[in-house]
Amino acid sequence: MTGTLDASDATPAVDRETLLVELVDEQGRAAGSLPVAAAHTAPGRLHRAFSVLLFDDTGRVLLQQRAAVKTRFPLLWTNTCCGHPLPGQDVAEAAGIRLGEELGMAAELTEVGRFTYQAGDPATGRVEYEFDHVLIGRVGDVAPQPNPDEVAEIDWVDPDALAEAVAAAPDRYTPWLAGVLAAVAAYRN
């Protein structure tokens, strides 16, 4: 199923910092759980995450600028959406739910790669240390409906131009976006 979601599909707002994340070892095997806020406190704890990148019919990718209220890397541009599955939750299922929460969209998602990264946010003092599952999907002529609590702006961009922009001005983008783009490029080649 692809398209937009109706407002009745929305779930009530939750303090995402109190939700549990699944801690993992370097191979991605489950190793416990912690609340989001604790997992992102320096020096960070390795945990499972996902990053979604949606393509339109012309091959452009949907980017979002993270909302100013985000506790990690606010106002930076990043992939279509990202988040954390609950402990034991299917990654694609969690990513589909988050896509609806952030952008009011639905898409069939396919996992295309995984990578680990660690990055501190100098603005907030929080740390990302994630075993990131990269998922892609395709949407037709569907207009995103960004949730202003999650997304400041959106933009459809050419993936080659995006890769060049990330390399030229990395401080405008989240530290995981380059890894997402590399995973997608490796899958497509």
Side-chain angles (χ1 to χ4, degrees):
M1 173 173 117
T2 62
T4 58
L5 301 176
D6 138 337
S8 64
D9 294 331
T11 54
V14 175
D15 179 358
R16 301 198 63 76
E17 295 295 300
T18 64
L19 296 177
L20 293 178
V21 295
E22 185 172 68
L23 300 176
V24 297
D25 65 15
E26 292 78 17
Q27 288 74 45
R29 294 180 296 237
S33 63
L34 273 178
V36 168
H40 292 91
T41 299
R45 297 284 304 272
L46 183 60
H47 59 279
R48 192 172 315 283
F50 58 80
S51 293
V52 175
L53 196 60
L54 290 184
F55 291 82
D56 70 7
D57 289 336
T58 67
R60 297 178 306 168
V61 295
L62 179 60
L63 294 186
Q64 68 158 279
Q65 183 184 36
R66 294 168 61 82
V69 297
K70 291 285 193 173
T71 60
R72 295 168 307 280
F73 302 99
L75 297 175
L76 295 185
W77 285 91
T78 197
N79 46 282
T80 307
C81 89
C82 52
H84 308 97
L86 295 170
Q89 184 180 27
D90 179 77
V91 172
E93 174 191 355
I97 291 168
R98 196 73 182 124
L99 188 58
E101 292 170 348
E102 290 191 10
L103 293 158
M105 300 179 82
E108 193 171 312
L109 300 173
T110 301
E111 186 170 329
V112 298
R114 300 172 183 170
F115 69 99
T116 299
Y117 71 94
Q118 187 170 15
D121 182 354
T124 67
R126 302 291 180 97
V127 175
E128 294 278 9
Y129 187 23
E130 296 184 332
F131 185 90
D132 199 15
H133 297 254
V134 179
L135 300 101
I136 61 171
R138 181 167 299 282
V139 292
D141 189 20
V142 175
Q145 300 172 359
N147 176 342
D149 294 333
E150 302 285 347
V151 179
E153 290 186 53
I154 59 169
D155 195 13
W156 287 99
V157 301
D158 174 82
D160 294 331
L162 174 60
E164 290 173 13
V166 171
D171 291 347
R172 293 189 65 225
Y173 301 92
T174 58
W176 60 88
L177 182 56
V180 171
L181 296 176
V184 171
Y187 171 78
R188 297 185 120 195
N189 291 331

Coordinates of all heavy atoms in Angstrom, one line a residue, residues 78-162:
T78 N 17.8 15.6 6.5 CA 18.1 14.2 6.6 C 17.2 13.4 5.6 O 16.4 14.0 4.8 CB 17.9 13.7 8.0 OG1 18.5 12.4 8.2 CG2 16.4 13.7 8.4
N79 N 17.3 12.1 5.7 CA 16.5 11.2 4.8 C 15.0 11.3 5.2 O 14.6 12.1 6.1 CB 16.9 9.7 5.0 CG 17.1 9.4 6.5 OD1 18.1 9.7 7.1 ND2 16.1 8.7 7.1
T80 N 14.1 10.7 4.4 CA 12.7 10.8 4.5 C 12.2 10.7 5.9 O 11.4 11.6 6.4 CB 12.0 9.8 3.6 OG1 12.5 9.9 2.3 CG2 10.5 10.1 3.6
C81 N 12.5 9.7 6.7 CA 12.2 9.6 8.1 C 13.1 8.6 8.7 O 13.8 7.8 8.1 CB 10.7 9.3 8.3 SG 10.3 7.5 8.3
C82 N 13.2 8.6 10.0 CA 14.0 7.7 10.8 C 13.4 7.5 12.2 O 12.5 8.2 12.6 CB 15.4 8.1 10.8 SG 15.7 9.8 11.5
G83 N 13.9 6.5 12.9 CA 13.4 6.2 14.2 C 14.0 4.9 14.8 O 15.0 4.4 14.3
H84 N 13.3 4.4 15.8 CA 13.7 3.2 16.5 C 12.6 2.2 16.6 O 11.5 2.6 17.1 CB 14.2 3.6 17.9 CG 15.2 4.7 18.0 ND1 14.8 6.0 18.2 CD2 16.5 4.7 17.8 CE1 15.9 6.7 18.2 NE2 16.9 6.0 18.0
P85 N 12.8 1.0 16.3 CA 11.7 0.0 16.6 C 11.7 -0.3 18.1 O 12.8 -0.1 18.7 CB 12.2 -1.3 15.8 CG 13.7 -1.1 15.6 CD 13.9 0.4 15.6
L86 N 10.6 -0.7 18.6 CA 10.6 -1.1 20.0 C 11.3 -2.4 20.1 O 11.5 -3.1 19.1 CB 9.1 -1.3 20.4 CG 8.3 0.0 20.4 CD1 6.8 -0.3 20.6 CD2 8.8 0.9 21.5
P87 N 11.8 -2.8 21.3 CA 12.5 -4.1 21.4 C 11.6 -5.2 20.8 O 10.4 -5.3 21.2 CB 12.7 -4.2 22.9 CG 12.7 -2.8 23.4 CD 11.8 -2.0 22.5
G88 N 12.2 -6.0 19.9 CA 11.5 -7.1 19.3 C 10.6 -6.8 18.2 O 10.0 -7.7 17.5
Q89 N 10.3 -5.5 17.9 CA 9.4 -5.1 16.8 C 10.1 -5.3 15.5 O 11.3 -5.0 15.3 CB 9.0 -3.7 17.0 CG 8.0 -3.2 16.0 CD 7.6 -1.7 16.3 OE1 8.3 -0.9 16.8 NE2 6.4 -1.4 15.8
D90 N 9.3 -5.7 14.5 CA 9.8 -5.8 13.1 C 10.2 -4.4 12.6 O 9.5 -3.4 12.8 CB 8.7 -6.4 12.2 CG 9.2 -6.5 10.8 OD1 9.9 -7.4 10.5 OD2 8.8 -5.6 10.0
V91 N 11.4 -4.3 12.1 CA 12.0 -3.0 11.6 C 11.1 -2.3 10.6 O 10.8 -1.2 10.7 CB 13.4 -3.1 11.2 CG1 14.0 -1.9 10.5 CG2 14.3 -3.6 12.3
A92 N 10.7 -3.1 9.5 CA 9.9 -2.5 8.5 C 8.5 -2.1 9.0 O 8.0 -1.0 8.6 CB 9.7 -3.5 7.3
E93 N 8.0 -2.8 9.9 CA 6.7 -2.4 10.5 C 6.9 -1.1 11.3 O 6.1 -0.1 11.1 CB 6.2 -3.5 11.5 CG 5.0 -3.1 12.3 CD 4.6 -4.0 13.4 OE1 5.3 -5.1 13.6 OE2 3.7 -3.7 14.2
A94 N 7.9 -1.0 12.1 CA 8.2 0.3 12.8 C 8.4 1.4 11.9 O 7.9 2.5 12.1 CB 9.4 0.1 13.8
A95 N 9.2 1.2 10.8 CA 9.4 2.3 9.9 C 8.2 2.7 9.2 O 8.0 3.9 9.0 CB 10.5 1.8 8.8
G96 N 7.3 1.8 8.8 CA 6.0 2.2 8.2 C 5.2 3.0 9.1 O 4.5 4.0 8.7
I97 N 5.1 2.7 10.4 CA 4.4 3.5 11.4 C 4.9 4.9 11.5 O 4.2 5.9 11.5 CB 4.4 2.8 12.8 CG1 3.5 1.5 12.7 CG2 3.8 3.7 13.9 CD1 3.7 0.6 13.9
R98 N 6.3 5.0 11.6 CA 6.9 6.3 11.7 C 6.7 7.1 10.5 O 6.6 8.3 10.6 CB 8.4 6.0 12.0 CG 9.1 7.3 12.6 CD 8.7 7.5 14.0 NE 9.3 8.7 14.5 CZ 8.7 9.8 15.0 NH1 7.4 9.7 15.1 NH2 9.3 10.8 15.4
L99 N 6.8 6.5 9.3 CA 6.5 7.3 8.1 C 5.1 7.9 8.1 O 5.0 9.1 7.7 CB 6.6 6.3 6.9 CG 6.6 6.9 5.5 CD1 7.7 7.9 5.3 CD2 6.7 5.7 4.5
G100 N 4.2 7.2 8.6 CA 2.8 7.8 8.8 C 2.8 8.9 9.8 O 2.2 10.0 9.6
E101 N 3.5 8.7 11.0 CA 3.5 9.8 12.0 C 4.2 11.0 11.6 O 3.8 12.1 11.9 CB 4.2 9.2 13.3 CG 3.5 8.1 14.0 CD 4.3 7.4 15.0 OE1 5.6 7.6 15.1 OE2 3.7 6.6 15.8
E102 N 5.3 10.9 10.9 CA 6.1 12.1 10.5 C 5.6 12.8 9.2 O 5.6 14.0 9.1 CB 7.6 11.7 10.3 CG 8.3 11.3 11.5 CD 9.8 11.2 11.4 OE1 10.3 11.6 10.3 OE2 10.4 10.8 12.4
L103 N 5.1 12.0 8.2 CA 4.8 12.6 6.9 C 3.4 12.2 6.4 O 3.1 12.6 5.3 CB 5.9 12.2 5.9 CG 7.2 12.7 6.2 CD1 8.3 11.9 5.6 CD2 7.3 14.2 5.7
G104 N 2.6 11.5 7.2 CA 1.3 11.1 6.7 C 1.3 10.3 5.5 O 0.4 10.4 4.7
M105 N 2.3 9.5 5.3 CA 2.5 8.7 4.1 C 2.6 7.2 4.4 O 3.0 6.8 5.5 CB 3.8 9.1 3.3 CG 3.7 10.6 2.9 SD 5.3 11.0 2.0 CE 4.9 10.4 0.4
A106 N 2.3 6.4 3.4 CA 2.5 4.9 3.5 C 3.2 4.5 2.3 O 3.0 5.0 1.2 CB 1.1 4.2 3.7
A107 N 4.1 3.5 2.4 CA 4.8 2.9 1.3 C 5.2 1.5 1.6 O 5.5 1.2 2.8 CB 6.0 3.8 0.9
E108 N 5.3 0.7 0.6 CA 5.9 -0.7 0.8 C 7.4 -0.4 0.9 O 8.0 0.2 0.1 CB 5.6 -1.5 -0.4 CG 5.9 -3.0 -0.2 CD 5.4 -3.9 -1.3 OE1 4.2 -3.7 -1.7 OE2 6.1 -4.7 -1.7
L109 N 8.0 -0.9 2.0 CA 9.4 -0.7 2.3 C 10.3 -1.9 2.2 O 9.8 -3.0 2.6 CB 9.6 -0.1 3.7 CG 8.8 1.2 4.0 CD1 8.9 1.6 5.4 CD2 9.4 2.3 3.1
T110 N 11.5 -1.8 1.6 CA 12.4 -2.9 1.5 C 13.7 -2.5 2.1 O 14.3 -1.5 1.9 CB 12.7 -3.1 0.0 OG1 11.4 -3.4 -0.7 CG2 13.7 -4.3 -0.2
E111 N 14.2 -3.4 3.0 CA 15.5 -3.2 3.6 C 16.6 -3.4 2.6 O 16.6 -4.5 1.9 CB 15.7 -4.1 4.8 CG 17.0 -3.7 5.6 CD 17.2 -4.4 6.9 OE1 16.2 -4.6 7.6 OE2 18.3 -4.6 7.3
V112 N 17.6 -2.4 2.5 CA 18.6 -2.5 1.5 C 20.0 -2.5 2.1 O 21.0 -2.6 1.3 CB 18.5 -1.4 0.4 CG1 17.2 -1.5 -0.3 CG2 18.6 0.0 1.0
G113 N 20.2 -2.4 3.3 CA 21.5 -2.4 3.9 C 21.4 -2.0 5.4 O 20.4 -1.6 5.9
R114 N 22.6 -2.1 6.0 CA 22.8 -1.8 7.5 C 24.1 -1.2 7.7 O 25.1 -1.6 7.0 CB 22.7 -3.0 8.3 CG 21.4 -3.8 8.2 CD 21.4 -5.1 9.0 NE 20.2 -5.8 8.8 CZ 20.0 -7.0 9.1 NH1 20.9 -7.7 9.7 NH2 18.8 -7.6 9.0
F115 N 24.3 -0.3 8.6 CA 25.6 0.3 9.0 C 25.5 0.8 10.4 O 24.4 1.0 10.9 CB 26.0 1.4 8.0 CG 25.2 2.6 8.1 CD1 25.7 3.7 8.8 CD2 24.0 2.7 7.4 CE1 24.9 4.9 8.9 CE2 23.2 3.9 7.5 CZ 23.7 5.0 8.2
T116 N 26.6 1.0 11.0 CA 26.7 1.5 12.4 C 27.5 2.8 12.3 O 28.4 3.0 11.6 CB 27.5 0.5 13.3 OG1 26.8 -0.7 13.3 CG2 27.7 1.0 14.7
Y117 N 27.0 3.8 13.1 CA 27.6 5.1 13.2 C 27.5 5.6 14.6 O 26.6 5.2 15.3 CB 27.1 6.1 12.2 CG 25.7 6.5 12.6 CD1 25.5 7.7 13.3 CD2 24.6 5.8 12.2 CE1 24.2 8.1 13.7 CE2 23.3 6.2 12.6 CZ 23.1 7.4 13.3 OH 21.9 7.8 13.7
Q118 N 28.4 6.5 15.0 CA 28.3 7.2 16.3 C 28.7 8.6 16.0 O 29.6 8.9 15.4 CB 29.3 6.5 17.2 CG 29.2 7.1 18.6 CD 30.0 6.3 19.7 OE1 30.9 5.5 19.3 NE2 29.7 6.5 20.9
A119 N 27.8 9.5 16.5 CA 28.0 10.9 16.3 C 27.4 11.7 17.5 O 26.3 11.5 17.9 CB 27.4 11.4 15.0
G120 N 28.1 12.7 18.0 CA 27.6 13.6 19.0 C 27.0 14.8 18.4 O 27.5 15.3 17.4
D121 N 26.0 15.3 19.0 CA 25.4 16.6 18.6 C 25.9 17.7 19.5 O 25.5 17.8 20.7 CB 23.8 16.4 18.7 CG 23.1 17.7 18.2 OD1 23.8 18.7 17.9 OD2 21.9 17.7 18.2
P122 N 26.7 18.5 19.0 CA 27.3 19.6 19.8 C 26.2 20.6 20.3 O 26.4 21.2 21.3 CB 28.3 20.3 18.9 CG 28.0 19.9 17.5 CD 27.2 18.6 17.6
A123 N 25.1 20.7 19.6 CA 24.1 21.7 20.0 C 23.3 21.2 21.2 O 22.8 22.0 22.0 CB 23.1 22.0 18.8
T124 N 23.1 19.9 21.3 CA 22.2 19.3 22.4 C 23.0 18.5 23.4 O 22.5 18.1 24.5 CB 21.1 18.5 21.8 OG1 21.6 17.3 21.2 CG2 20.3 19.3 20.8
G125 N 24.2 18.0 23.1 CA 25.0 17.2 23.9 C 24.6 15.7 23.9 O 25.2 14.9 24.5
R126 N 23.6 15.4 23.0 CA 23.1 14.0 22.9 C 24.1 13.3 21.9 O 24.8 13.9 21.1 CB 21.7 14.0 22.4 CG 20.7 14.7 23.3 CD 20.5 13.9 24.6 NE 19.6 14.6 25.5 CZ 18.3 14.3 25.6 NH1 17.8 13.3 24.8 NH2 17.5 14.9 26.4
V127 N 24.0 11.9 22.0 CA 24.9 11.1 21.1 C 24.0 10.1 20.4 O 23.1 9.4 21.0 CB 25.9 10.4 22.0 CG1 26.7 9.4 21.1 CG2 26.8 11.4 22.6
E128 N 24.3 9.9 19.1 CA 23.7 8.9 18.3 C 24.7 7.8 18.2 O 25.8 8.0 17.8 CB 23.3 9.3 16.9 CG 22.3 10.4 16.8 CD 20.8 9.8 16.9 OE1 20.7 8.6 17.1 OE2 19.9 10.6 16.7
Y129 N 24.4 6.5 18.6 CA 25.2 5.4 18.4 C 24.3 4.3 17.9 O 23.7 3.6 18.8 CB 26.0 5.0 19.7 CG 27.0 4.0 19.6 CD1 27.6 3.6 18.4 CD2 27.4 3.3 20.7 CE1 28.6 2.6 18.3 CE2 28.4 2.3 20.6 CZ 29.0 2.0 19.4 OH 29.9 1.0 19.4
E130 N 24.2 4.1 16.6 CA 23.1 3.3 16.1 C 23.6 2.2 15.1 O 24.5 2.5 14.3 CB 22.0 4.2 15.5 CG 21.4 5.1 16.5 CD 20.3 6.0 16.0 OE1 20.3 6.3 14.8 OE2 19.4 6.3 16.8
F131 N 22.9 1.1 15.2 CA 23.0 0.0 14.2 C 21.8 0.3 13.3 O 20.6 0.0 13.7 CB 22.9 -1.3 14.9 CG 23.0 -2.5 14.0 CD1 24.3 -3.0 13.8 CD2 22.0 -3.1 13.4 CE1 24.5 -4.1 13.0 CE2 22.1 -4.2 12.5 CZ 23.4 -4.7 12.3
D132 N 22.0 0.9 12.2 CA 20.9 1.5 11.4 C 20.5 0.6 10.2 O 21.4 0.2 9.4 CB 21.4 2.9 10.8 CG 20.3 3.8 10.3 OD1 19.1 3.5 10.7 OD2 20.6 4.7 9.7
H133 N 19.3 0.3 10.1 CA 18.7 -0.5 9.0 C 18.2 0.5 8.0 O 17.4 1.4 8.4 CB 17.5 -1.3 9.5 CG 17.9 -2.4 10.5 ND1 17.9 -3.7 10.2 CD2 18.2 -2.3 11.8 CE1 18.3 -4.4 11.2 NE2 18.4 -3.6 12.2
V134 N 18.6 0.4 6.8 CA 18.2 1.3 5.7 C 17.1 0.7 4.9 O 17.3 -0.4 4.4 CB 19.4 1.7 4.8 CG1 19.0 2.7 3.7 CG2 20.5 2.3 5.7
L135 N 16.0 1.4 4.8 CA 14.8 0.9 4.0 C 14.5 1.9 2.9 O 14.6 3.2 3.1 CB 13.6 0.7 4.9 CG 13.8 -0.3 6.0 CD1 14.1 0.4 7.3 CD2 12.6 -1.2 6.1
I136 N 14.1 1.4 1.7 CA 13.6 2.3 0.7 C 12.2 2.0 0.3 O 11.7 0.9 0.5 CB 14.6 2.3 -0.6 CG1 14.6 0.9 -1.2 CG2 15.9 2.8 -0.2 CD1 15.3 0.8 -2.5
G137 N 11.6 2.9 -0.4 CA 10.2 2.7 -0.9 C 10.0 3.7 -2.0 O 10.8 4.6 -2.3
R138 N 8.9 3.4 -2.8 CA 8.5 4.2 -3.9 C 7.1 4.7 -3.7 O 6.3 4.0 -3.3 CB 8.6 3.4 -5.2 CG 8.3 4.3 -6.4 CD 8.7 3.6 -7.7 NE 10.1 3.3 -7.8 CZ 11.1 4.2 -8.2 NH1 10.7 5.5 -8.4 NH2 12.3 3.9 -8.3
V139 N 6.9 6.0 -4.0 CA 5.6 6.6 -3.9 C 5.3 7.3 -5.2 O 6.2 7.8 -5.9 CB 5.4 7.6 -2.7 CG1 5.5 6.9 -1.4 CG2 6.4 8.7 -2.8
G140 N 4.0 7.2 -5.6 CA 3.6 7.9 -6.8 C 3.5 9.4 -6.6 O 4.2 10.0 -5.8
D141 N 2.5 9.9 -7.2 CA 2.2 11.4 -7.1 C 1.4 11.6 -5.8 O 0.2 12.0 -5.9 CB 1.4 11.8 -8.4 CG 1.3 13.3 -8.5 OD1 2.1 14.0 -7.8 OD2 0.4 13.8 -9.2
V142 N 2.0 11.5 -4.7 CA 1.4 11.6 -3.4 C 2.1 12.8 -2.7 O 3.3 12.8 -2.6 CB 1.5 10.3 -2.6 CG1 0.9 10.5 -1.2 CG2 0.8 9.2 -3.3
A143 N 1.3 13.7 -2.2 CA 1.8 14.8 -1.4 C 2.0 14.5 0.0 O 1.1 14.1 0.7 CB 0.9 16.0 -1.6
P144 N 3.3 14.6 0.6 CA 3.5 14.4 2.0 C 2.7 15.4 2.8 O 2.4 16.5 2.4 CB 5.0 14.6 2.2 CG 5.6 14.5 0.8 CD 4.5 15.0 -0.1
Q145 N 2.3 15.0 4.0 CA 1.6 15.8 5.0 C 2.5 15.9 6.2 O 2.2 15.2 7.2 CB 0.2 15.3 5.2 CG -0.6 15.2 4.0 CD -1.9 14.5 4.3 OE1 -2.2 14.0 5.4 NE2 -2.8 14.4 3.3
P146 N 3.5 16.7 6.2 CA 4.5 16.7 7.3 C 3.8 17.1 8.7 O 3.0 18.1 8.7 CB 5.5 17.8 6.9 CG 5.3 18.0 5.5 CD 3.9 17.7 5.2
N147 N 4.2 16.4 9.7 CA 3.8 16.7 11.1 C 4.7 17.8 11.6 O 5.9 17.6 11.7 CB 3.9 15.5 11.9 CG 3.6 15.7 13.4 OD1 3.6 16.8 13.9 ND2 3.3 14.6 14.1
P148 N 4.2 19.0 11.9 CA 5.1 20.1 12.3 C 5.9 19.9 13.6 O 6.9 20.5 13.8 CB 4.2 21.3 12.4 CG 2.8 20.7 12.5 CD 2.8 19.4 11.8
D149 N 5.4 18.9 14.4 CA 6.1 18.5 15.6 C 7.4 17.7 15.3 O 8.3 17.5 16.1 CB 5.3 17.8 16.5 CG 4.1 18.6 17.1 OD1 4.2 19.8 17.2 OD2 3.1 18.0 17.4
E150 N 7.5 17.2 14.0 CA 8.6 16.3 13.6 C 9.4 16.9 12.5 O 10.6 16.7 12.4 CB 8.0 15.0 13.1 CG 7.2 14.2 14.1 CD 8.0 13.6 15.2 OE1 9.2 13.5 15.1 OE2 7.4 13.1 16.2
V151 N 8.8 17.7 11.6 CA 9.4 18.1 10.3 C 9.2 19.6 10.2 O 8.1 20.1 10.2 CB 8.7 17.3 9.2 CG1 9.3 17.8 7.8 CG2 8.8 15.8 9.3
A152 N 10.4 20.3 9.9 CA 10.3 21.7 9.6 C 10.0 22.0 8.2 O 9.2 22.9 7.9 CB 11.6 22.4 10.0
E153 N 10.6 21.3 7.3 CA 10.4 21.4 5.8 C 10.7 20.1 5.1 O 11.3 19.2 5.7 CB 11.4 22.5 5.2 CG 11.2 23.9 5.6 CD 12.1 24.8 4.9 OE1 12.1 24.8 3.6 OE2 12.8 25.6 5.6
I154 N 10.2 20.0 3.9 CA 10.5 18.9 3.0 C 11.0 19.4 1.7 O 10.8 20.5 1.3 CB 9.3 17.9 2.8 CG1 8.1 18.7 2.2 CG2 8.9 17.3 4.2 CD1 7.0 17.8 1.8
D155 N 11.7 18.5 1.0 CA 12.1 18.8 -0.4 C 12.4 17.5 -1.2 O 12.9 16.5 -0.6 CB 13.4 19.6 -0.3 CG 13.8 20.3 -1.6 OD1 12.9 20.3 -2.6 OD2 14.9 20.7 -1.8
W156 N 12.0 17.4 -2.4 CA 12.3 16.3 -3.3 C 13.5 16.7 -4.1 O 13.6 17.8 -4.7 CB 11.1 16.1 -4.3 CG 9.9 15.5 -3.7 CD1 8.8 16.2 -3.3 CD2 9.7 14.1 -3.4 NE1 7.9 15.3 -2.8 CE2 8.4 14.0 -2.9 CE3 10.4 13.0 -3.6 CZ2 7.9 12.8 -2.5 CZ3 9.9 11.7 -3.3 CH2 8.6 11.7 -2.7
V157 N 14.6 15.9 -4.0 CA 15.9 16.2 -4.7 C 16.4 15.0 -5.5 O 16.1 13.9 -5.2 CB 16.9 16.7 -3.6 CG1 16.4 17.9 -2.9 CG2 17.2 15.5 -2.7
D158 N 17.3 15.4 -6.4 CA 18.0 14.4 -7.2 C 19.0 13.7 -6.3 O 19.8 14.4 -5.6 CB 18.7 15.0 -8.4 CG 19.5 14.1 -9.2 OD1 19.0 13.3 -10.0 OD2 20.7 14.1 -8.9
P159 N 19.1 12.3 -6.3 CA 20.0 11.7 -5.4 C 21.5 12.0 -5.7 O 22.3 12.0 -4.7 CB 19.7 10.2 -5.5 CG 18.7 10.1 -6.6 CD 18.2 11.4 -7.0
D160 N 21.8 12.1 -6.9 CA 23.2 12.5 -7.2 C 23.6 13.9 -6.7 O 24.7 14.1 -6.1 CB 23.5 12.4 -8.7 CG 23.4 10.9 -9.2 OD1 23.6 10.0 -8.4 OD2 23.0 10.7 -10.4
A161 N 22.7 14.8 -6.9 CA 22.9 16.2 -6.4 C 23.0 16.2 -4.9 O 23.8 16.9 -4.3 CB 21.8 17.1 -6.9
L162 N 22.2 15.3 -4.3 CA 22.2 15.2 -2.8 C 23.5 14.7 -2.3 O 24.1 15.3 -1.4 CB 21.0 14.3 -2.3 CG 21.0 14.1 -0.8 CD1 20.9 15.3 0.0 CD2 19.9 13.1 -0.5

